Amino acid sequence: MKIKGLAAVIVVLAAIASSFAYLETNFIELFSRTSLAQMAKFANGFLTPDFSRSHLYAIAWACLETLAMSAMGTLLAALLGIILALPAAGRLGTLFKAVARFLLNALRAVPELVWAALMVLAAGLGPNAGTLALALHTAGVLGRLFAETLENTPSAPSDAIRLAGGGRLAAFAYGILPSVWPQLLAYILYRWENNIRMATILGFVGAGGLGQMLQISLSLFQLAQAATIILAMLTLVLLVDAFSAWIRQRWINH
């Protein structure tokens, strides 16, 4: 075991050394007086955020845009996810199960930034592209989680409704959904928290919101304005996390 552990350490150190050699990292130049002075100047620009009224007003609208993008994207993803989760869980036969699982895998295999770049080309610059990008990727994630939840749910209540003459929709709505709804809601809230963070990043490819404001400020070297936007991002994420935790504690855990 000691020999194997030593060999593993040697392999890791060799990989790290090879990476530095391949990237041609020059630490002497990185920590030179000129580089340190430039980094200090750059950091100093972030230490004086711009709290002017016009900038804060623009940030407030961008926050609302980012929040709307994440909420609408998550809602659309939840609807599409539950539609695909039913066949993916095997409720409609083997063929539909295979097709639905393939679609869910394809949706979540493409990262949000790639979806955003594609949606910008399809729908143009702005929050619509970001909303669609979040919806498509999140639908793949939620659909898979929903399908696994439905697969592990006892079918006795829905079977009883079917035997009593009820249809598939009634069996799902009254026999399955009440027992799995808290778990589905927990998944939706968790993905909403993630989508808030991702929505701020999608702006870098032109999908609107705080991310687009930050990209413009950084490209113009407006460091004070960029610092204020970053603080707004942090505040928005903390507020959404707190709100999501309150909902989980009030509606799910009780």
Side-chain angles (χ1 to χ4, degrees), residues 5 43 77 84-85 108 185 194 214 222 239:
L84 293 175
R108 73 173 184 272
L185 182 59
N194 290 338
L214 180 61
Q222 297 173 342
L239 290 176

Side-chain angles (χ1 to χ4, degrees), residues 25-215:
T25 305
N26 190 343
F27 285 103
I28 297 177
E29 182 178 349
L30 180 64
F31 293 103
S32 65
R33 180 179 300 179
T34 303
S35 297
L36 291 176
Q38 184 66 28
M39 286 188 281
K41 180 180 178 181
F42 186 79
N44 184 58
F46 280 98
L47 296 178
T48 55
D50 180 10
F51 293 117
S52 63
R53 179 177 299 182
S54 60
H55 190 53
L56 291 178
Y57 182 78
I59 288 178
W61 277 108
C63 283
L64 291 177
E65 192 172 79
T66 300
L67 188 63
M69 283 170 52
S70 64
M72 285 299 299
T74 305
L75 177 61
L76 292 174
L79 295 175
L80 181 58
I82 195 64
I83 291 173
L84 293 175
L86 289 173
R91 303 279 174 173
L92 303 179
T94 305
L95 177 60
F96 287 101
K97 179 179 180 179
V99 173
R101 284 184 175 270
F102 173 78
L103 289 175
L104 291 175
N105 289 334
L107 288 173
R108 73 173 184 272
V110 180
E112 294 96 327
L113 280 173
V114 178
W115 277 123
L118 294 174
M119 292 302 103
V120 165
L121 295 176
L125 297 172
N128 289 336
T131 301
L132 292 174
L134 291 174
L136 290 171
H137 179 81
T138 307
V141 177
L142 288 180
R144 181 58 184 270
L145 294 173
F146 291 171
E148 292 179 355
T149 302
L150 294 176
E151 283 182 327
N152 297 324
T153 302
S155 60
S158 62
D159 293 340
I161 294 175
R162 294 293 300 275
L163 291 174
R168 289 183 177 180
L169 183 60
F172 172 75
Y174 298 104
I176 298 176
L177 189 58
S179 61
V180 302
W181 173 245
Q183 187 65 48
L184 301 187
L185 182 59
Y187 287 142
I188 293 171
L189 290 174
Y190 174 70
R191 288 305 307 180
W192 183 39
E193 294 175 14
N194 290 338
N195 284 343
I196 279 286
R197 299 175 179 87
M198 184 52 62
T200 61
I201 299 174
L202 296 184
F204 279 86
V205 293
L210 285 171
Q212 189 165 348
M213 277 193 70
L214 180 61
Q215 191 272 336

